[in-house]
């Protein structure tokens, strides 16, 4: 019965929001809906409390008024949402709404002061929305919609936010689906008394779900945690603040500022250390420049500075550096950070060698609204007692809903169980040693460790002894040398110049691809080689010589440009006759 009541409330709130948003979604509209929900909550609490006091105290109006002032959000009788609904067609309706919120703010003892400076229903630019605003008040004032209970209100707001961001996939930022936030909370398992932070909080939903996981000794939910959040977007801060208020979290530490140039949570002259750090770094955001990273007063980038235009690892390094001695972090990141090379590869290698990465979980598509690329969860742990890393391929394990891929509760249970037990499951999970990750050139792509064509290969690798490994490395070195020699022969006079700028050994996956692309001075060379023959270790040397298939190169000053084949000028009848002869 409780579940049915909650589902009805979620549906009514979501439909009211969708009707108000229409096709022109905006954060301003979202904040107005959330503010009206807060007014509805305050009105429902006012009605229930007043009825209870009237039954208890009778006609003692002075005592009742004194008790009513102790409410979290005290209201005057005429500022309740029911009264606004009754006067929705009267002149000055929108001004009445602003007055109601001013009344609620003045009685909130400072809780609402700052956030409601960002919300104005009576702005001149909003005149054309008055009709929609009347409809919103009518929908939310519905007597069937009881929002007096804090838990039910919070659940409804979570559904509203998910509906808002799902309806706007090009919002310019991303929103982590609730199931992913719930998974993060269960993986990190926060406890009472902990300090929890989301340094890129967005709507604050992930931080809220993490806090809701905390339980007391009696198994009931506990609020005995300290919550911190930061975002460099003022609108995101307003959304997060309203989200926390609607979940009855008043005492949270939320701020606006750039975490690189202006981290807000500091102590003892340095960064505050947290027990849990959770969140999803912003997509395609710029990190600090190389000079800014070098001069960082908090020394967050000693492992390296991410390349320009790819700030993913800058946010990851900030999260790692804010962990306490036994801290844990769960971050939702684009899967590119798992395998991209160069500077990002150096940072990733450092994190692996420091034994900070505990698990990597590939997520299904569309689990993060606004993130157009596949995402993954990386779990960091500063108190690890093992050097293994758990890889879980959850990208294909989901229930297909009407519009998006969704996990079931059983899917989440399975992921958490495998992570806790650290066990390998065919085609789903694999527990890798650091040696195997090193042999894979510190590539953390889940598909490299989990899959139908990887299980036997990886299982065999762990039973090789040291002599076998040394022999294989020697043979691999010879193979790479042979390939380099052949490349020099195939590339001609340019071979030495091109090979001189290649500092890394040829990647081991050349065997699978058989395609080498070389870029130099604006020139693109494409070389296709049958490299599989290099891996046939036979006595016949000729079988180890690759066969050149094709070599294409753009023209430069020393070469004539490629010319298109001349179109035949033979009559159509002659061409048909020749084709028939063939």
């Amino acid at each position: 019965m409780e579940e049915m009541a909650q589902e009805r409330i979620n549906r009514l709130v979501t439909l009211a929001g969708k009707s108000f948003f229409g096709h022109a979604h905006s954060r301003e509209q979202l904040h107005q809906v959330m503010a009206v929900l807060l007014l509805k909550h305050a009105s429902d609490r006012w009605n229930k409390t007043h009825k209870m006091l009237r039954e208890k105290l009778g006609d003692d109006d002075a005592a009742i008024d004194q008790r009513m002032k102790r409410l979290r959000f005290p209201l005057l009788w005429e500022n309740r949402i029911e009264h606004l609904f009754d006067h929705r067609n009267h002149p000055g309706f929108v001004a009445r709404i602003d007055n109601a919120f001013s009344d609620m703010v003045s009685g909130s003892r400072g809780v609402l002061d700052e956030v409601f400076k960002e919300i104005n229903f009576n702005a001149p630019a909003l005149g054309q929305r008055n009709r929609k605003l009347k409809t919103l008040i009518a929908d939310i004032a519905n007597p069937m919609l009881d929002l007096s209970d804090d838990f039910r209100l919070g659940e409804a707001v979570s559904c509203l936010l998910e509906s808002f961001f799902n309806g706007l996939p090009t919002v310019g930022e991303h929103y982590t689906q609730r199931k992913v936030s719930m998974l993060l909370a269960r993986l990190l398992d926060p406890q009472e008394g902990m300090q929890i932070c989301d340094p890129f909080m967005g709507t604050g939903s992930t931080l809220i779900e993490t806090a809701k996981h905390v339980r007391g000794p009696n198994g009931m939910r506990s609020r005995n945690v300290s919550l911190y959040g930061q975002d460099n977007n003022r609108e995101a801060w307003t959304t997060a603040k309203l989200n926390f208020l609607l979940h009855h979290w008043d005492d949270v530490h939320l701020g606006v500022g750039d975490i690189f140039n202006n981290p807000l949570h500091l102590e003892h002259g340095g960064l505050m250390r947290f027990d849990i750090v959770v969140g999803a770094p912003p997509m395609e955001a710029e990190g600090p420049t190389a000079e800014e990273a070098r001069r960082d007063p908090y020394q967050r980038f000693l492992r390296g500075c991410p390349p320009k235009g790819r700030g993913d690892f800058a946010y990851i390094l900030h999260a790692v550096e804010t962990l306490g001695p036994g801290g844990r972090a769960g971050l939702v990141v684009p899967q590119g950070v798992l395998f991209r090379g160069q500077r990002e590869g150096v940072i990733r290698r450092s994190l692996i060698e420091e034994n900070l990465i505990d698990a990597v979980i590939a997520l299904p598509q569309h689990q993060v609204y606004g993130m157009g690329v596949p995402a993954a969860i990386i779990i960091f742990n500063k108190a690890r007692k093992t050097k293994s890393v758990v890889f879980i391929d959850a990208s294909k394990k989901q229930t297909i809903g009407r519009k998006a891929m969704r996990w079931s509760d059983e899917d989440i249970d399975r992921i958490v169980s495998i992570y806790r037990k650290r066990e390998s499951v065919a085609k789903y999970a694999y527990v890798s040693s650091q040696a195997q990750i090193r042999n894979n050139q510190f590539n953390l792509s889940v598909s490299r460790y989990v899959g139908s064509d990887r299980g036997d290969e990886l299982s065999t690798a762990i039973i090789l002894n040291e002599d076998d490994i040394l022999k294989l490395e020697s043979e691999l070195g010879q193979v790479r040398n042979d390939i380099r020699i052949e490349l020099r022969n195939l590339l001609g006079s340019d071979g030495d110049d091109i090979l001189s700028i290649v500092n890394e050994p040829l990647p081991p996956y050349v065997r699978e691809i058989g395609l080498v692309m070389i870029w130099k001075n604006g020139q693109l060379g494409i070389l296709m080689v049958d490299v599989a023959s290099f891996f046939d270790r036979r006595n016949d040397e000729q079988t180890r010589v690759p066969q050149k298939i094709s070599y294409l190169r753009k023209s430069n000053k020393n070469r004539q440009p490629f010319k298109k084949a001349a179109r035949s000028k033979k009559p159509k009848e002659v061409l048909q006759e020749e084709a028939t002869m063939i």
Side-chain angles (χ1 to χ4, degrees):
M1 187 61 107
E2 286 291 327
E3 291 183 2
M4 292 178 62
Q6 183 66 63
E7 289 178 2
R8 184 179 68 252
I9 291 174
N10 295 347
R11 183 174 64 256
L12 291 174
V13 170
T14 301
L15 290 176
K18 286 183 176 180
S19 175
F20 185 70
F21 299 145
H23 297 291
H25 286 53
S26 71
R27 279 297 185 108
E28 188 177 37
Q29 290 176 296
L30 176 62
H31 297 161
Q32 289 177 332
V33 174
M34 296 175 80
V36 172
L37 288 173
L38 193 62
L39 179 61
K40 168 67 172 174
H41 169 69
S43 300
D44 288 348
R45 292 297 291 267
W46 192 98
N47 292 333
K48 284 195 170 184
T49 305
H50 189 271
K51 180 180 179 181
M52 180 190 68
L53 292 175
R54 180 65 69 185
E55 293 174 352
K56 182 178 180 180
L57 301 176
D59 296 331
D60 191 350
D61 292 339
I64 292 175
D65 290 342
Q66 190 66 29
R67 298 280 188 94
M68 294 299 290
K69 291 180 181 179
R70 300 175 187 174
L71 289 174
R72 181 178 174 225
F73 301 125
L75 289 173
L76 296 176
W77 179 84
E78 62 269 19
N79 289 330
R80 296 172 304 120
I81 196 168
E82 295 87 357
H83 193 269
L84 293 177
F85 171 71
D86 292 339
H87 294 78
R88 65 189 183 282
N89 294 321
H90 291 198
F93 165 70
V94 180
R96 285 176 178 269
I97 297 178
D98 275 337
N99 291 336
F101 282 111
S102 297
D103 173 33
M104 191 165 65
V105 169
S106 62
S108 66
R109 295 173 287 278
V111 174
L112 302 177
D113 286 354
E114 192 172 359
V115 67
F116 272 88
K117 293 178 182 177
E118 312 292 328
I119 304 172
N120 184 5
F121 288 91
N122 203 25
L126 303 180
Q128 66 273 19
R129 294 188 194 161
N130 287 354
R131 182 179 57 81
K132 282 191 171 184
L133 188 56
K134 292 178 182 180
T135 303
L136 176 65
I137 294 295
D139 291 339
I140 300 300
N142 185 347
M144 297 293 294
L145 183 61
D146 182 6
L147 296 181
S148 59
D149 183 76
D150 293 323
F151 176 79
R152 287 183 176 181
L153 174 64
E155 292 293 303
V157 171
S158 297
C159 292
L160 173 71
L161 288 172
E162 194 153 15
S163 171
F164 175 82
F165 285 95
N166 186 26
L168 190 60
T170 57
V171 72
E173 56 185 308
H174 59 267
Y175 173 82
T176 305
Q177 281 198 32
R178 193 178 179 194
K179 290 289 187 180
V180 178
S181 299
M182 293 170 64
L183 173 62
L184 280 169
R186 292 188 58 184
L187 292 172
L188 296 173
D189 193 25
Q191 303 296 318
E192 279 192 306
M194 285 188 169
Q195 293 182 321
I196 307 172
C197 179
D198 186 344
F200 10 83
M201 62 184 180
T203 65
S205 297
T206 301
L207 185 56
I208 289 173
E209 289 296 333
T210 306
K212 286 165 63 175
H213 181 76
V214 179
R215 296 290 187 272
N218 58 358
M220 302 296 290
R221 285 185 177 178
S222 171
R223 289 176 176 260
N224 182 22
V225 289
S226 301
L227 303 181
Y228 300 80
Q230 181 171 344
D231 202 287
N232 65 350
N233 185 297
R234 182 72 185 183
E235 286 190 334
W237 176 89
T238 303
T239 306
K241 186 67 176 177
L242 287 168
N243 197 7
F244 275 99
L245 289 170
L246 289 164
H247 280 86
H248 206 157
W249 284 93
D250 298 343
D251 187 19
V252 292
H253 310 276
L254 308 180
V256 182
D258 180 10
I259 61 172
F260 302 124
N261 299 317
N262 184 29
L264 300 177
H265 306 304
L266 306 173
E267 62 180 0
H268 309 304
L271 296 171
M272 183 179 289
R273 307 296 175 176
F274 300 99
D275 302 294
I276 299 288
V277 175
V278 65
M283 282 289 296
E284 300 179 354
E286 291 282 348
T289 64
E291 180 61 21
E292 290 172 341
R294 186 181 65 82
R295 301 176 63 177
D296 178 43
Y298 306 107
Q299 297 184 334
R300 290 169 287 184
F301 308 105
L302 297 180
R303 298 177 181 87
C305 177
K308 184 178 180 180
R310 286 181 175 172
D312 301 314
F313 267 104
Y315 291 93
I316 291 173
L317 290 176
H318 172 83
V320 171
E321 287 303 310
T322 56
L323 289 176
R328 302 185 299 278
L331 305 180
V332 181
V333 299
Q335 290 192 19
V337 305
L338 304 178
F339 56 80
R340 290 197 296 253
Q342 298 182 348
R343 285 197 239 173
E344 292 179 297
V346 173
I347 298 172
R348 186 172 59 249
R349 175 174 181 168
S350 179
L351 292 171
I352 294 170
E353 290 182 336
E354 292 177 42
N355 198 31
L356 294 175
I357 297 180
D358 198 36
V360 180
I361 304 169
L363 299 178
Q365 286 279 11
H366 312 302
Q367 285 292 317
V368 182
Y369 297 137
M371 185 181 288
V373 297
I377 291 176
I378 304 180
I379 302 296
F380 298 88
N381 189 346
K382 279 199 168 182
R384 275 163 49 86
K385 298 180 180 179
T386 177
K387 291 191 175 182
S388 64
V389 177
V390 181
F391 292 89
I392 302 176
D393 185 5
S395 61
K396 301 179 181 63
K397 190 63 178 176
Q398 70 262 348
T399 304
I400 300 178
R402 184 168 58 181
K403 286 189 176 181
M405 304 293 188
R406 296 185 181 275
W407 274 332
S408 65
D409 292 338
E410 290 74 16
D411 295 330
I412 296 178
D413 291 340
R414 186 185 187 195
I415 294 171
V416 174
S417 175
I418 290 174
Y419 172 70
R420 295 269 182 259
K421 296 177 181 178
R422 307 189 75 80
E423 60 183 8
S424 296
V425 178
K427 301 182 182 181
Y428 187 75
Y430 183 76
V431 181
S432 174
S433 65
Q434 278 201 5
Q436 290 171 312
I437 297 175
R438 189 179 301 109
N439 290 339
N440 279 317
Q441 298 186 340
F442 300 95
N443 186 321
L444 295 178
S445 177
V446 174
S447 61
R448 185 170 284 266
Y449 301 88
V450 180
S452 58
D453 58 342
R454 297 286 178 182
D456 296 338
E457 178 182 334
L458 290 171
S459 298
T460 303
I462 62 175
I463 63 173
L464 296 176
N465 58 39
E466 186 175 357
D467 292 338
D468 293 331
I469 294 175
L470 292 175
K471 181 179 179 181
L472 289 173
E473 288 181 347
S474 175
E475 290 185 356
L476 180 59
Q478 181 61 43
V479 169
R480 287 175 173 167
N481 186 56
D482 292 344
I483 292 178
R484 286 180 176 277
I485 293 173
E486 188 61 27
L487 285 176
R488 186 177 290 110
N489 293 336
L490 291 171
L491 293 174
S493 60
D494 294 325
D496 292 333
D497 293 337
I498 293 175
L499 290 175
S500 66
I501 64 174
V502 180
N503 297 320
E504 297 285 339
L506 288 175
Y509 49 79
V510 168
R511 173 183 182 182
E512 303 173 3
I513 299 175
L515 173 66
V516 180
M517 300 182 69
I518 300 173
W519 181 269
K520 179 187 176 186
N521 299 330
Q523 304 292 329
L524 176 65
I526 303 176
L527 179 67
M528 298 181 65
V529 181
D530 180 13
V531 294
S533 57
F534 277 117
F535 295 86
D536 296 331
R537 311 300 291 177
R538 302 176 183 174
N539 295 327
D540 185 1
E541 188 67 22
Q542 291 183 354
T543 62
R544 297 177 56 195
V545 178
Q547 302 298 316
K548 176 180 176 183
I549 299 174
S550 65
Y551 174 60
L552 307 176
R553 181 181 174 85
K554 288 185 176 180
S555 61
N556 55 26
K557 294 181 180 180
N558 300 324
R559 298 181 182 228
Q560 294 296 324
F562 291 113
K563 296 181 179 180
K564 292 184 178 179
R567 181 175 295 179
S568 174
K569 296 183 179 180
K570 294 182 180 181
K572 183 177 180 180
E573 294 77 8
V574 176
L575 291 174
Q576 291 178 345
E577 182 178 353
E578 290 178 354
T580 303
M581 293 174 62
I582 294 175

